[in-house]
Amino acid sequence: YRLSGDEFTVALHTDEAANKAGFRLNFECEGPVLQLLHNDGRRVSATPGVPAKISDGYTEYASELDLSVTVLGRDCEVTWQFFDVEDEASCDYDHVRLLVRGQELGKWCGGSLPPTYRLSGDEFTVALHTDEAANKAGFRLNFECEGPVLQLLHNDGRRVSATPGVPAKISDGYTEYASELDLSVTVLGRDCEVTWQFFDVEDEASCDYDHVRLLVRGQELGKWCGGSLPPTYRLSGDEFTVALRTDEAVNKAGFQLTYVCR
């Protein structure tokens, strides 16, 4: 297929029996394909979980990235399956870091697997930094946690969601976001249109308790709470950020927005 639009979706459905080996496809796009580090509830990946490009037959991460993903889960074991990041003695060019509540446990580059970690806390963060050159194939790690695995705001390349894209809990039959969150996700894309499909955040006159914000390079375009959909935005820049803050009580069902970028 030669597709003329700015996005496509691949969907897999399986029934209860007769499982097979699956499939693989390659794609090449004229413009940049930009997503964030991917966390599917068992692993965090930048290979091929992009930003990425195809070069010399394999998938590379992109240049000039500062990306991170935080996993909320109790007593997690983190194991690395694959690691290929630009090498340099001090790892100041490209590197991957593992952090627990802001405290750095390790910073790595090169081709050797980092050590396995058994973490006693309730969250950890994986961060990727890349400079302007010498892109490599990236990394993949697996994690297993004793307690529930609660993820952050989810970006699947078309939408940003906190429903059910957790942290969440089930209460009275529906999914709520968790308490005391300060979460954000940045989407890299040019000339994006942002449209809200669903919005249910604790209401308060000044939105100081729970709120969602939309920002472009740190400049706040809006701050919302309650049950009304925020307005549609057409953004002329090359990135935007969605941020969710919650206090210690009155959790609601969250939000979902869709974005289309040129």
Side-chain angles (χ1 to χ4, degrees):
Y1 283 87
R2 293 173 177 82
L3 309 174
S4 59
D6 56 3
E7 69 170 63
F8 68 92
T9 299
V10 181
L12 170 66
H13 169 79
T14 68
D15 65 8
E16 70 279 358
N19 301 329
K20 295 292 185 176
F23 69 91
R24 178 182 291 148
L25 65 85
N26 283 357
F27 60 90
E28 294 188 11
C29 302
E30 293 297 322
V33 178
L34 299 177
Q35 301 171 15
L36 298 192
L37 296 185
H38 181 62
N39 168 22
D40 71 358
R42 292 182 301 137
R43 65 181 63 85
V44 174
S45 175
T47 310
V50 293
K53 62 181 181 178
I54 303 298
S55 175
D56 300 325
Y58 74 97
T59 305
E60 295 180 344
Y61 51 69
S63 301
E64 298 185 312
L65 304 176
D66 268 301
L67 308 178
S68 65
V69 61
T70 298
V71 177
L72 303 184
R74 192 171 64 253
D75 299 331
C76 299
E77 181 173 279
V78 176
T79 308
W80 306 79
Q81 277 67 52
F82 175 81
F83 200 87
D84 181 23
V85 174
E86 179 189 6
D87 200 11
E88 189 267 336
S90 60
C91 294
D92 285 339
Y93 297 163
D94 296 1
H95 56 253
V96 176
R97 296 187 301 147
L98 181 65
L99 307 99
V100 172
R101 294 195 173 276
Q103 180 181 350
E104 182 180 288
L105 301 185
K107 173 183 171 183
W108 305 280
C109 59
S112 299
L113 292 178
T116 295
Y117 281 84
R118 293 173 178 83
L119 308 173
S120 59
D122 56 5
E123 71 168 60
F124 67 91
T125 298
V126 183
L128 168 67
H129 169 82
T130 72
D131 64 6
E132 70 282 352
N135 303 330
K136 295 290 186 177
F139 71 91
R140 179 180 292 148
L141 65 85
N142 280 3
F143 59 89
E144 293 189 10
C145 303
E146 293 296 324
V149 176
L150 301 178
Q151 303 170 32
L152 298 194
L153 297 185
H154 180 62
N155 169 23
D156 70 0
R158 293 182 302 139
R159 65 182 63 87
V160 174
S161 176
T163 312
V166 296
K169 61 181 181 179
I170 302 299
S171 176
D172 301 325
Y174 73 97
T175 305
E176 294 181 344
Y177 52 70
S179 300
E180 298 184 313
L181 304 176
D182 261 307
L183 309 178
S184 65
V185 62
T186 296
V187 175
L188 306 181
R190 193 170 61 251
D191 299 331
C192 299
E193 181 174 280
V194 176
T195 308
W196 306 78
Q197 278 69 51
F198 176 80
F199 199 88
D200 181 22
V201 174
E202 179 188 6
D203 200 12
E204 190 266 338
S206 60
C207 294
D208 285 340
Y209 296 163
D210 297 0
H211 57 253
V212 176
R213 297 186 301 147
L214 181 65
L215 306 98
V216 173
R217 294 194 175 277
Q219 179 181 352
E220 183 181 287
L221 302 185
K223 173 183 171 183
W224 305 281
C225 61
S228 299
L229 292 178
T232 295
Y233 281 84
R234 293 172 178 84
L235 308 174
S236 59
D238 56 3
E239 70 169 60
F240 67 91
T241 299
V242 183
L244 168 68
R245 180 189 179 278
T246 71
D247 63 7
E248 70 281 353
V250 192
N251 303 329
K252 296 289 186 175
F255 71 90
Q256 184 167 286
L257 64 85
T258 298
Y259 61 89
V260 177
C261 303
R262 293 183 182 178

